[in-house]
Protein backbone atom coordinates (compact mmCIF):
# COMPACT_ATOMS: atom_id res chain seq x y z
CA UNK A 1 0.00 0.00 0.00
CA UNK A 2 1.49 3.33 -1.07
CA UNK A 3 1.47 6.20 1.44
CA UNK A 4 0.40 9.09 -0.77
CA UNK A 5 0.06 11.47 2.17
CA UNK A 6 3.80 11.40 2.89
CA UNK A 7 4.78 12.92 -0.45
CA UNK A 8 2.23 15.70 -0.03
CA UNK A 9 3.44 16.94 3.38
CA UNK A 10 6.53 18.90 4.36
CA UNK A 11 7.87 18.88 7.93
CA UNK A 12 9.62 22.18 8.61
CA UNK A 13 10.36 24.63 11.41
CA UNK A 14 7.65 27.01 12.55
CA UNK A 15 7.88 30.50 11.05
CA UNK A 16 6.62 32.99 13.62
CA UNK A 17 5.98 35.66 11.00
CA UNK A 18 3.67 33.67 8.73
CA UNK A 19 2.45 30.60 10.64
CA UNK A 20 0.94 32.01 13.82
CA UNK A 21 -2.66 32.34 12.59
CA UNK A 22 -2.76 28.87 11.04
CA UNK A 23 -1.27 27.25 14.14
CA UNK A 24 -3.87 28.95 16.34
CA UNK A 25 -6.64 27.60 14.10
CA UNK A 26 -5.09 24.14 14.00
CA UNK A 27 -4.83 23.93 17.78
CA UNK A 28 -8.39 25.14 18.32
CA UNK A 29 -9.62 22.39 16.00
CA UNK A 30 -7.41 19.75 17.62
CA UNK A 31 -8.40 20.17 21.24
CA UNK A 32 -8.52 16.83 22.99
CA UNK A 33 -10.77 15.60 25.72
CA UNK A 34 -13.86 17.56 24.68
CA UNK A 35 -16.14 14.65 25.56
CA UNK A 36 -14.67 14.02 28.99
CA UNK A 37 -15.72 15.60 32.25
CA UNK A 38 -12.25 17.05 32.87
CA UNK A 39 -9.32 17.50 30.51
CA UNK A 40 -6.43 19.93 30.27
CA UNK A 41 -5.68 21.87 27.13
CA UNK A 42 -3.05 24.58 27.32
CA UNK A 43 -4.25 27.98 26.16
CA UNK A 44 -1.31 29.58 24.34
CA UNK A 45 -2.80 33.06 24.84
CA UNK A 46 -2.18 33.81 21.16
CA UNK A 47 1.49 32.77 21.32
CA UNK A 48 2.16 29.26 19.94
CA UNK A 49 5.71 29.41 21.32
CA UNK A 50 4.63 30.23 24.87
CA UNK A 51 5.20 26.72 26.23
CA UNK A 52 8.82 26.61 25.11
CA UNK A 53 10.03 30.23 25.06
CA UNK A 54 11.76 29.87 28.42
CA UNK A 55 14.06 27.04 27.29
CA UNK A 56 17.42 27.89 25.68
CA UNK A 57 17.29 24.80 23.44
CA UNK A 58 13.88 24.63 21.75
CA UNK A 59 12.22 23.95 18.42
CA UNK A 60 8.72 24.00 16.98
CA UNK A 61 7.90 21.99 13.87
CA UNK A 62 4.86 22.06 11.61
CA UNK A 63 3.43 19.68 9.00
CA UNK A 64 2.51 21.64 5.86
CA UNK A 65 0.51 20.49 2.84
CA UNK A 66 2.69 21.21 -0.17
CA UNK A 67 -0.16 22.20 -2.49
CA UNK A 68 -2.41 24.34 -0.30
CA UNK A 69 0.22 25.37 2.30
CA UNK A 70 -2.28 24.46 5.03
CA UNK A 71 -0.76 23.40 8.36
CA UNK A 72 -2.11 20.04 9.54
CA UNK A 73 0.21 19.23 12.43
CA UNK A 74 2.50 20.79 15.01
CA UNK A 75 4.91 19.64 17.70
CA UNK A 76 7.28 21.34 20.13
CA UNK A 77 10.54 20.10 21.55
CA UNK A 78 12.99 21.29 24.22
CA UNK A 79 16.14 19.92 25.81
CA UNK A 80 16.73 20.11 29.55
CA UNK A 81 19.53 19.14 31.89
CA UNK A 82 18.08 16.67 34.39
CA UNK A 83 19.34 15.12 37.61
CA UNK A 84 18.52 11.65 38.96
CA UNK A 85 18.28 10.16 42.44
CA UNK A 86 21.60 8.37 41.90
CA UNK A 87 23.35 11.68 41.27
CA UNK A 88 23.70 11.20 37.51
CA UNK A 89 23.18 14.09 35.09
CA UNK A 90 21.76 13.80 31.60
CA UNK A 91 20.37 15.79 28.69
CA UNK A 92 16.73 14.92 28.14
CA UNK A 93 14.55 15.99 25.24
CA UNK A 94 10.90 16.80 26.01
CA UNK A 95 8.17 16.55 23.38
CA UNK A 96 5.29 18.95 24.04
CA UNK A 97 2.09 20.02 22.33
CA UNK A 98 1.74 17.39 19.60
CA UNK A 99 -1.38 18.24 17.61
CA UNK A 100 -2.72 16.92 14.30
CA UNK A 101 -5.74 18.16 12.38
CA UNK A 102 -8.67 15.71 12.84
CA UNK A 103 -8.92 15.11 9.08
CA UNK A 104 -5.26 14.06 8.89
CA UNK A 105 -5.07 11.72 11.85
CA UNK A 106 -4.03 8.09 11.32
CA UNK A 107 -2.18 9.10 8.16
CA UNK A 108 1.33 9.13 9.56
CA UNK A 109 1.54 12.88 10.25
CA UNK A 110 2.10 12.51 14.01
CA UNK A 111 4.68 9.79 13.39
CA UNK A 112 6.67 12.06 11.07
CA UNK A 113 6.50 14.98 13.48
CA UNK A 114 7.80 12.85 16.35
CA UNK A 115 10.61 11.44 14.19
CA UNK A 116 11.61 14.93 13.09
CA UNK A 117 11.71 16.36 16.61
CA UNK A 118 13.68 13.32 17.80
CA UNK A 119 16.23 13.96 15.03
CA UNK A 120 16.56 17.55 16.22
CA UNK A 121 17.12 16.32 19.79
CA UNK A 122 19.85 13.91 18.70
CA UNK A 123 21.63 16.67 16.76
CA UNK A 124 21.61 18.76 19.94
CA UNK A 125 23.01 16.06 22.21
CA UNK A 126 19.90 14.68 23.92
CA UNK A 127 20.37 11.21 25.36
CA UNK A 128 16.69 10.45 25.99
CA UNK A 129 13.33 11.69 24.75
CA UNK A 130 10.37 12.13 27.03
CA UNK A 131 6.66 12.83 26.54
CA UNK A 132 3.36 12.61 28.40
CA UNK A 133 -0.28 11.88 27.67
CA UNK A 134 -3.48 11.29 29.60
CA UNK A 135 -4.07 7.71 30.62
CA UNK A 136 -7.33 7.29 28.67
CA UNK A 137 -5.89 8.64 25.40
CA UNK A 138 -5.52 5.23 23.73
CA UNK A 139 -4.59 6.65 20.32
CA UNK A 140 -1.61 8.55 21.75
CA UNK A 141 -0.50 5.62 23.90
CA UNK A 142 -0.52 3.28 20.90
CA UNK A 143 1.38 5.81 18.80
CA UNK A 144 4.09 6.29 21.41
CA UNK A 145 4.55 2.66 22.49
CA UNK A 146 3.78 0.58 19.39
CA UNK A 147 4.96 2.85 16.57
CA UNK A 148 7.60 5.01 18.26
CA UNK A 149 9.04 2.47 20.75
CA UNK A 150 8.59 4.50 23.93
CA UNK A 151 8.31 2.77 27.30
CA UNK A 152 6.27 3.80 30.33
CA UNK A 153 8.39 5.85 32.73
CA UNK A 154 5.94 6.98 35.39
CA UNK A 155 2.30 7.34 36.36
CA UNK A 156 1.12 10.63 37.84
CA UNK A 157 -2.07 12.32 38.94
CA UNK A 158 -3.05 15.88 38.02
CA UNK A 159 -5.24 17.46 40.70
CA UNK A 160 -7.54 20.24 39.48
CA UNK A 161 -9.20 22.36 42.18
CA UNK A 162 -11.72 25.15 41.39
CA UNK A 163 -10.75 28.33 43.24
CA UNK A 164 -14.22 29.30 44.45
CA UNK A 165 -15.24 25.91 45.85
CA UNK A 166 -12.84 25.50 48.76
CA UNK A 167 -12.91 27.07 52.22
CA UNK A 168 -10.10 29.55 52.78
CA UNK A 169 -9.83 29.08 56.58
CA UNK A 170 -6.35 28.21 57.84
CA UNK A 171 -5.61 27.00 61.37
CA UNK A 172 -4.27 29.66 63.72
CA UNK A 173 -1.55 27.21 64.76
CA UNK A 174 -0.04 27.32 61.27
CA UNK A 175 1.94 30.11 59.67
CA UNK A 176 2.53 30.47 55.95
CA UNK A 177 5.42 32.68 54.98
CA UNK A 178 6.89 33.74 51.66
CA UNK A 179 10.60 33.13 51.15
CA UNK A 180 12.96 35.14 49.00
CA UNK A 181 14.29 33.69 45.76
CA UNK A 182 17.79 32.83 47.02
CA UNK A 183 16.40 30.85 49.94
CA UNK A 184 13.80 29.19 47.70
CA UNK A 185 16.56 28.06 45.34
CA UNK A 186 18.51 26.58 48.28
CA UNK A 187 15.41 24.76 49.52
CA UNK A 188 14.59 23.27 46.16
CA UNK A 189 18.15 22.23 45.37
CA UNK A 190 18.28 20.22 48.58
CA UNK A 191 14.83 18.65 48.45
CA UNK A 192 15.00 17.81 44.74
CA UNK A 193 17.89 15.45 45.40
CA UNK A 194 15.35 13.03 46.89
CA UNK A 195 13.47 12.84 43.56
CA UNK A 196 13.97 10.18 40.89
CA UNK A 197 14.05 12.94 38.23
CA UNK A 198 14.29 16.70 38.53
CA UNK A 199 15.40 19.75 36.46
CA UNK A 200 18.78 21.28 37.25
CA UNK A 201 17.78 24.88 36.50
CA UNK A 202 15.42 25.64 39.41
CA UNK A 203 17.05 29.07 39.67
CA UNK A 204 15.82 29.87 36.15
CA UNK A 205 12.31 28.60 36.94
CA UNK A 206 12.01 30.61 40.15
CA UNK A 207 13.42 33.81 38.66
CA UNK A 208 11.09 33.72 35.66
CA UNK A 209 8.62 36.64 35.72
CA UNK A 210 5.66 34.22 35.57
CA UNK A 211 6.66 32.71 38.92
CA UNK A 212 4.39 34.17 41.63
CA UNK A 213 6.57 33.09 44.53
CA UNK A 214 7.52 30.36 47.01
CA UNK A 215 5.88 29.89 50.41
CA UNK A 216 6.46 27.50 53.32
CA UNK A 217 3.95 26.27 55.87
CA UNK A 218 4.94 25.47 59.46
CA UNK A 219 3.59 25.31 63.01
CA UNK A 220 4.03 28.53 64.98
CA UNK A 221 4.88 26.66 68.19
CA UNK A 222 7.84 24.98 66.53
CA UNK A 223 8.98 27.85 64.37
CA UNK A 224 11.31 27.53 61.46
CA UNK A 225 14.57 29.06 60.35
CA UNK A 226 14.57 32.83 59.81
CA UNK A 227 13.05 32.89 56.36
CA UNK A 228 14.14 36.42 55.61
CA UNK A 229 17.79 35.80 56.33
CA UNK A 230 20.22 34.38 53.81
CA UNK A 231 21.32 30.77 54.22
CA UNK A 232 25.09 30.73 53.81
CA UNK A 233 25.61 27.02 54.28
CA UNK A 234 23.41 24.19 53.05
CA UNK A 235 24.25 22.16 56.18
CA UNK A 236 22.75 24.94 58.33
CA UNK A 237 19.57 24.73 56.28
CA UNK A 238 19.37 20.96 56.70
CA UNK A 239 19.95 21.03 60.47
CA UNK A 240 17.37 23.79 60.96
CA UNK A 241 14.75 21.93 58.98
CA UNK A 242 15.28 18.45 60.38
CA UNK A 243 15.00 19.71 63.96
CA UNK A 244 11.24 19.90 63.48
CA UNK A 245 10.59 16.17 63.66
CA UNK A 246 6.83 16.43 63.91
CA UNK A 247 6.51 17.86 60.39
CA UNK A 248 6.19 14.41 58.91
CA UNK A 249 3.55 13.40 61.45
CA UNK A 250 1.41 16.45 60.63
CA UNK A 251 2.12 16.65 56.92
CA UNK A 252 -1.57 16.31 56.05
CA UNK A 253 -2.59 19.41 58.01
CA UNK A 254 0.31 21.44 56.62
CA UNK A 255 -0.55 20.28 53.10
CA UNK A 256 -4.17 21.29 53.57
CA UNK A 257 -3.11 24.74 54.78
CA UNK A 258 -1.07 25.26 51.62
CA UNK A 259 -4.00 24.03 49.53
CA UNK A 260 -6.28 26.65 51.04
CA UNK A 261 -3.64 29.36 50.86
CA UNK A 262 -3.11 28.68 47.16
CA UNK A 263 -6.82 29.11 46.64
CA UNK A 264 -6.59 32.52 48.32
CA UNK A 265 -3.73 33.53 46.02
CA UNK A 266 -5.73 32.39 43.01
CA UNK A 267 -8.71 34.45 44.05
CA UNK A 268 -6.55 37.53 43.95
CA UNK A 269 -5.43 36.89 40.38
CA UNK A 270 -7.47 38.10 37.45
CA UNK A 271 -9.40 35.38 35.58
CA UNK A 272 -7.89 32.56 37.68
CA UNK A 273 -10.51 29.81 38.01
CA UNK A 274 -8.56 26.73 39.14
CA UNK A 275 -5.19 25.73 40.54
CA UNK A 276 -3.39 22.58 39.48
CA UNK A 277 -0.71 20.34 40.89
CA UNK A 278 0.73 17.10 39.54
CA UNK A 279 2.32 14.41 41.71
CA UNK A 280 3.92 11.08 40.94
CA UNK A 281 2.41 7.88 42.34
CA UNK A 282 5.47 7.50 44.58
CA UNK A 283 5.49 11.04 45.93
CA UNK A 284 4.72 11.06 49.70
CA UNK A 285 2.64 14.23 49.25
CA UNK A 286 0.18 12.41 46.98
CA UNK A 287 -1.42 10.78 50.03
CA UNK A 288 -2.03 14.14 51.70
CA UNK A 289 -3.86 16.09 48.98
CA UNK A 290 -7.16 17.30 50.50
CA UNK A 291 -9.99 15.24 49.02
CA UNK A 292 -12.65 17.90 48.50
CA UNK A 293 -15.94 17.22 46.70
CA UNK A 294 -15.00 19.63 43.92
CA UNK A 295 -11.53 18.30 43.13
CA UNK A 296 -10.97 16.49 39.83
CA UNK A 297 -8.20 14.02 39.07
CA UNK A 298 -6.59 13.26 35.72
CA UNK A 299 -4.32 10.24 35.35
CA UNK A 300 -1.17 11.13 33.43
CA UNK A 301 1.40 8.80 31.89
CA UNK A 302 5.02 9.67 31.17
CA UNK A 303 6.99 7.82 28.50
CA UNK A 304 10.69 7.77 27.60
CA UNK A 305 12.93 6.49 24.83
CA UNK A 306 16.70 6.19 24.54
CA UNK A 307 18.07 8.31 21.68
CA UNK A 308 21.81 7.87 22.14
CA UNK A 309 23.82 4.66 22.04
CA UNK A 310 26.45 6.24 24.29
CA UNK A 311 24.68 6.37 27.62
CA UNK A 312 25.55 5.21 31.12
CA UNK A 313 24.08 1.75 31.75
CA UNK A 314 23.08 2.75 35.28
CA UNK A 315 21.07 5.70 33.99
CA UNK A 316 19.48 3.49 31.37
CA UNK A 317 18.43 1.04 34.07
CA UNK A 318 16.80 3.86 36.06
CA UNK A 319 14.84 5.26 33.12
CA UNK A 320 13.81 1.97 31.61
CA UNK A 321 11.90 1.06 34.76
CA UNK A 322 9.01 2.95 36.31
CA UNK A 323 9.89 5.82 38.62
CA UNK A 324 7.35 7.36 40.95
CA UNK A 325 8.81 10.27 42.91
CA UNK A 326 9.44 12.94 40.30
CA UNK A 327 9.40 16.74 40.20
CA UNK A 328 6.98 18.11 37.62
CA UNK A 329 8.47 21.09 35.83
CA UNK A 330 5.79 23.84 35.74
CA UNK A 331 7.00 24.82 32.27
CA UNK A 332 5.71 21.50 30.92
CA UNK A 333 2.04 22.45 31.34
Amino acid sequence: MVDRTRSKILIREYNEDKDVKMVRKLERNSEIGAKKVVSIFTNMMGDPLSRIRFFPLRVMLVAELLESKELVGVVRGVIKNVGTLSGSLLKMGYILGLRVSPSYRRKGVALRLIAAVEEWMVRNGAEYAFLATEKDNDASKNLFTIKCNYVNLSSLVIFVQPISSITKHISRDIKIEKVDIDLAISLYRRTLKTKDLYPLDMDVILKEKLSVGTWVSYYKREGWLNLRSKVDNEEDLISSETSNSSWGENLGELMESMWRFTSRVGEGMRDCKVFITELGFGDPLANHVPQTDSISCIDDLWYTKRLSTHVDENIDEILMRQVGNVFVDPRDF
Side-chain angles (χ1 to χ4, degrees), residues 89-119:
L89 309 178
L90 64 151
K91 292 183 73 173
M92 203 161 189
Y94 283 60
I95 297 176
L96 302 164
L98 175 65
R99 300 284 185 266
V100 175
S101 173
S103 58
Y104 279 84
R105 291 173 185 170
R106 295 180 176 83
K107 295 184 179 180
V109 177
L111 193 62
R112 289 187 60 191
L113 284 167
I114 291 176
V117 77
E118 287 178 351
E119 290 173 5

Side-chain angles (χ1 to χ4, degrees), residues 214-246:
T214 301
W215 287 264
V216 295
S217 174
Y218 61 96
Y219 287 100
K220 295 177 182 178
R221 64 178 180 272
E222 296 179 356
W224 209 64
L225 58 89
N226 187 343
L227 298 176
R228 295 186 180 87
S229 65
K230 183 177 179 182
V231 176
D232 297 316
N233 189 311
E234 186 172 307
E235 291 182 0
D236 293 338
L237 175 62
I238 295 172
S239 62
S240 298
E241 184 175 348
T242 54
S243 65
N244 294 309
S245 59
S246 65

Side-chain angles (χ1 to χ4, degrees), residues 162-205:
I163 293 292
S164 60
S165 62
I166 184 171
T167 176
K168 309 303 186 297
H169 172 73
I170 297 174
S171 170
R172 293 182 179 181
D173 296 329
I174 293 175
K175 184 171 184 178
I176 296 176
E177 191 163 349
K178 190 173 185 177
V179 302
D180 62 43
I181 290 180
D182 290 337
L183 180 53
I185 292 170
S186 297
L187 283 168
Y188 273 109
R189 282 180 173 166
R190 190 192 76 78
T191 57
L192 288 180
K193 292 178 182 179
T194 66
K195 301 291 184 179
D196 293 322
L197 286 176
Y198 58 90
L200 295 176
D201 60 345
M202 278 304 302
D203 56 331
V204 175
I205 295 174

Side-chain angles (χ1 to χ4, degrees), residues 43-319:
N43 187 336
M44 303 297 175
M45 305 299 289
D47 178 13
L49 287 170
S50 62
R51 290 187 73 182
I52 61 174
R53 278 196 186 278
F54 307 115
F55 295 96
L57 274 176
R58 62 180 184 268
V59 73
M60 181 169 168
L61 304 176
V62 296
E64 179 184 57
L65 296 180
L66 290 174
E67 291 185 2
S68 67
K69 303 302 180 183
E70 177 188 357
L71 300 185
V72 296
V74 62
V75 70
R76 300 160 181 84
V78 302
I79 294 177
K80 295 191 285 189
N81 292 313
V82 176
T84 70
L85 183 61
S86 65
S88 301
L89 309 178
L90 64 151
K91 292 183 73 173
M92 203 161 189
Y94 283 60
I95 297 176
L96 302 164
L98 175 65
R99 300 284 185 266
V100 175
S101 173
S103 58
Y104 279 84
R105 291 173 185 170
R106 295 180 176 83
K107 295 184 179 180
V109 177
L111 193 62
R112 289 187 60 191
L113 284 167
I114 291 176
V117 77
E118 287 178 351
E119 290 173 5
W120 172 84
M121 290 174 177
V122 170
R123 290 197 302 271
N124 285 277
E127 299 160 282
Y128 292 86
F130 161 93
L131 46 78
T133 189
E134 293 178 15
K135 187 176 181 179
D136 59 357
N137 190 337
D138 293 332
S140 291
K141 290 191 298 183
N142 290 337
L143 170 68
F144 301 147
T145 59
I146 298 175
K147 296 184 178 180
C148 299
N149 300 315
Y150 281 77
V151 296
N152 185 225
L153 174 65
S154 187
S155 298
L156 300 95
V157 179
I158 302 174
F159 299 94
V160 183
Q161 176 68 62
I163 293 292
S164 60
S165 62
I166 184 171
T167 176
K168 309 303 186 297
H169 172 73
I170 297 174
S171 170
R172 293 182 179 181
D173 296 329
I174 293 175
K175 184 171 184 178
I176 296 176
E177 191 163 349
K178 190 173 185 177
V179 302
D180 62 43
I181 290 180
D182 290 337
L183 180 53
I185 292 170
S186 297
L187 283 168
Y188 273 109
R189 282 180 173 166
R190 190 192 76 78
T191 57
L192 288 180
K193 292 178 182 179
T194 66
K195 301 291 184 179
D196 293 322
L197 286 176
Y198 58 90
L200 295 176
D201 60 345
M202 278 304 302
D203 56 331
V204 175
I205 295 174
L206 296 177
K207 291 179 179 179
E208 168 53 44
K209 63 181 180 180
L210 293 178
S211 175
V212 178
T214 301
W215 287 264
V216 295
S217 174
Y218 61 96
Y219 287 100
K220 295 177 182 178
R221 64 178 180 272
E222 296 179 356
W224 209 64
L225 58 89
N226 187 343
L227 298 176
R228 295 186 180 87
S229 65
K230 183 177 179 182
V231 176
D232 297 316
N233 189 311
E234 186 172 307
E235 291 182 0
D236 293 338
L237 175 62
I238 295 172
S239 62
S240 298
E241 184 175 348
T242 54
S243 65
N244 294 309
S245 59
S246 65
W247 277 23
E249 300 171 6
N250 301 295
L251 184 56
E253 189 175 13
L254 291 171
M255 182 75 167
E256 185 172 352
S257 71
M258 292 302 292
W259 202 258
R260 294 177 176 180
F261 175 78
T262 303
S263 184
R264 284 184 185 178
V265 174
E267 274 194 335
M269 300 175 68
R270 182 179 177 183
D271 297 328
C272 182
K273 304 299 182 184
V274 301
F275 64 89
I276 297 173
T277 189
E278 184 169 15
L279 298 170
F281 70 89
D283 193 316
L285 290 177
N287 296 322
H288 298 283
V289 172
Q291 297 302 307
T292 66
D293 294 336
S294 57
I295 196 171
S296 299
C297 300
I298 302 171
D299 293 323
D300 209 20
L301 296 177
W302 284 8
Y303 293 92
T304 190
K305 175 182 179 178
R306 184 172 62 190
L307 297 178
S308 172
T309 56
H310 306 290
V311 295
D312 188 311
E313 291 184 1
N314 293 327
I315 297 177
D316 197 48
E317 183 179 349
I318 293 172
L319 296 183

